[in-house]
Amino acid sequence: MILKSYAKLNLTLSVNKKLKIGLHSIQSIYCLIDLYDKISVKKIKNVNSDKISFVGPFSKDINKSNNSVKKVLNVMRKNKIINDYYSVKVNKKIPVFAGLGGGTSNAATVLNYLTKKTLNKRTLSKITKEVGSDLRLFFYNQGYQKNLKSVIKLNK
């Protein structure tokens, strides 16, 4: 199965005070756009590690040993959401370091595909803390990020 991992565009962005955790509090109205990476996910049998690969025009700048997809798989396993290991191939069509959230979108797409259920707030907070504060943005097509912990779904 091929999954589409959509890019995010900030329609507004307000950078507020710096928090004790080192990040700035931000507010944003955003939407997902019709630019996406293609991801294939397959379960691997009799193996004790994930195989994650990146291809495509924007794959060369990806850190192969430390990326959002690897992080989300490890966090899911640590929180007993998954037990298996996976082969994940990402065809990068979203430019890297362009502020479009491609890496986090990839992680959110893999998370959504493998869970097939709604995660409780506590578990989602644990995952977001380790993967990235913008992970929750990719659960809605458009929304308002009130702060780093709160996203409100917006209707068209």
Side-chain angles (χ1 to χ4, degrees), residues 3-9 30-39 41 54 67-69 72 88 90-95 99-113 131-141:
L3 308 171
K4 292 181 179 179
S5 175
Y6 291 94
K8 162 193 69 78
L9 183 65
Y30 72 93
C31 66
L32 302 186
I33 59 174
D34 198 24
L35 172 64
Y36 54 86
D37 294 337
K38 293 181 180 179
I39 302 177
V41 179
F54 297 89
N67 56 70
S68 296
V69 173
V72 81
V88 180
V90 181
N91 185 345
K92 290 299 294 174
K93 296 185 180 210
I94 301 172
L100 299 172
T104 309
S105 175
N106 297 160
T109 300
V110 170
L111 175 68
N112 282 334
Y113 177 73
V131 176
S133 62
D134 58 343
L135 185 75
R136 22 174 91 77
L137 301 179
F138 295 94
F139 298 134
Y140 309 115
N141 287 331

Side-chain angles (χ1 to χ4, degrees), residues 42-156:
K42 295 178 185 172
K43 190 185 299 187
I44 305 174
K45 295 184 180 181
N46 303 321
V47 176
N48 290 332
S49 66
D50 297 304
K51 181 182 176 195
I52 303 168
S53 61
F54 297 89
V55 298
F58 298 104
S59 61
K60 67 178 171 51
D61 293 321
I62 307 276
N63 184 335
K64 309 300 188 264
S65 62
N66 183 23
N67 56 70
S68 296
V69 173
K70 185 172 188 160
K71 285 179 187 176
V72 81
L73 289 169
N74 289 338
V75 173
M76 289 172 70
R77 215 171 278 111
K78 187 167 82 175
N79 286 282
K80 301 190 182 335
I81 298 167
I82 60 172
N83 296 313
D84 299 309
Y85 292 90
Y86 295 89
S87 171
V88 180
K89 184 176 181 181
V90 181
N91 185 345
K92 290 299 294 174
K93 296 185 180 210
I94 301 172
V96 180
F97 308 118
L100 299 172
T104 309
S105 175
N106 297 160
T109 300
V110 170
L111 175 68
N112 282 334
Y113 177 73
L114 293 178
T115 57
K116 297 189 179 21
K117 62 180 179 180
T118 304
L119 297 172
N120 64 46
K121 281 187 174 186
R122 185 176 171 178
T123 303
L124 183 58
S125 288
K126 283 183 187 178
I127 295 170
T128 300
K129 192 172 190 176
E130 292 195 45
V131 176
S133 62
D134 58 343
L135 185 75
R136 22 174 91 77
L137 301 179
F138 295 94
F139 298 134
Y140 309 115
N141 287 331
Q142 57 269 332
Y144 168 60
Q145 183 177 14
K146 187 175 179 181
N147 54 47
L148 292 179
K149 293 183 178 184
S150 177
V151 177
I152 299 166
K153 180 182 177 181
L154 296 177
N155 295 320
K156 286 187 178 180

